[in-house]
Amino acid sequence: MNLLLTSVAALSVAFVTSFSAHAQEVSGNAEAGAKKAEMCIGCHGIVGYKATFPEVYRVPMISGQNAKYIEAALRAYQKGERHNPTMRGIAASLTEQDMADLAAFYAQNGAPFPIAPEQPRVQPDAKVAELLAKGACASCHGANLSKPIDPSYPKIAGQPADYLYVALKSYKDDTHATWGRSNAVMGGIAKQFELGELKALAGYISKLDSELKTQPEPRFRR
């Protein structure tokens, strides 16, 4: 466990240092981002919308997410470190300014947002508590898994269980040409777990109070 935490800390510092170099170059504008979000709202602006690749799952909530994380995720899709044909196609067309503007927009879109408690109101069972400790999840994602230690890390509490499961599986196996995620920290953590354990983690995390939401677009009326 100590070795894992040391590795996570070392890799985190390296990632943050690298990311900071990008962050100093471009400042996002939320108003500009709102005008660039047309390509995003068809999935992320519909409550309960489901993607179908590599399996059916609800897309993540991104309104209220950390702007620096959204930038980092878009950059990873653009560079091919995250394999998803749809997101790769979208990210490939974006400039650094576009990514910063979209991130700034989604960080505030739908505000005000709920504030998650410091301590989860839903307590894990013994098995899940052991898995959370093994993965040292709170060491990066913070209290209630909603207070990341760095803004380039995501809030994950309350995200849909099926999305979380697909994401964790993507870190566990990043060898596929069309799906998977290459990330030294998350890859090392996810590879420790069996698929059933990842599903248990995803199920619990999805039940936590979230600071995220899907902000519906007025044009999408049920």
Side-chain angles (χ1 to χ4, degrees):
M1 177 62 71
N2 289 336
L3 178 60
L4 173 62
L5 290 174
T6 300
S7 298
V8 169
L11 288 166
S12 298
V13 170
F15 179 83
V16 172
T17 301
S18 173
F19 182 84
S20 296
H22 288 283
Q24 293 172 1
E25 297 172 7
V26 178
S27 181
N29 182 291
E31 184 175 349
K35 299 175 182 178
K36 299 175 180 180
E38 291 290 329
M39 68 190 82
C40 310
I41 58 178
C43 294
H44 295 288
I46 302 176
V47 176
Y49 185 86
K50 294 182 179 180
T52 58
F53 183 85
E55 59 190 76
V56 177
Y57 64 94
R58 285 166 291 175
V59 301
M61 298 180 287
I62 59 174
S63 290
Q65 185 60 270
N66 291 329
K68 295 304 180 187
Y69 168 71
I70 295 176
E71 282 188 69
L74 287 171
R75 194 173 291 115
Y77 284 118
Q78 187 177 76
K79 295 165 73 174
E81 295 168 352
R82 291 189 178 192
H83 311 291
N84 180 290
T86 301
M87 286 303 303
R88 178 70 187 275
I90 290 171
S93 68
L94 302 177
T95 65
E96 287 286 324
Q97 186 65 62
D98 291 335
M99 290 187 279
D101 291 344
L102 286 167
F105 168 66
Y106 275 107
Q108 59 81 47
N109 183 40
F113 301 101
I115 298 176
E118 288 294 320
Q119 296 299 321
R121 291 191 292 181
V122 179
Q123 294 301 311
D125 61 27
K127 176 185 176 182
V128 171
E130 183 179 342
L131 297 176
L132 289 166
K134 180 179 179 181
C137 304
S139 67
C140 286
H141 297 288
N144 194 67
L145 304 184
S146 289
K147 312 290 183 185
I149 63 169
D150 185 271
S152 61
Y153 298 154
K155 304 173 184 180
I156 58 174
Q159 288 283 27
D162 46 4
Y163 161 71
L164 290 168
Y165 180 53
V166 167
L168 288 169
K169 284 199 299 182
S170 295
Y171 286 120
K172 181 179 174 68
D173 184 358
D174 62 357
T175 61
H176 300 270
T178 54
W179 64 274
R181 298 184 180 188
S182 301
N183 179 288
V185 175
M186 285 302 303
I189 292 171
K191 287 177 173 66
Q192 301 177 93
F193 299 104
E194 300 296 329
L195 292 180
E197 293 175 325
L198 293 179
K199 183 169 286 189
L201 280 169
Y204 171 70
I205 295 169
S206 72
K207 298 175 183 175
L208 298 176
D209 291 304
S210 184
E211 298 185 357
L212 307 172
K213 65 169 68 172
T214 296
Q215 181 63 24
E217 292 292 318
R219 74 193 79 179
F220 298 141
R221 298 184 183 276
R222 291 182 180 272

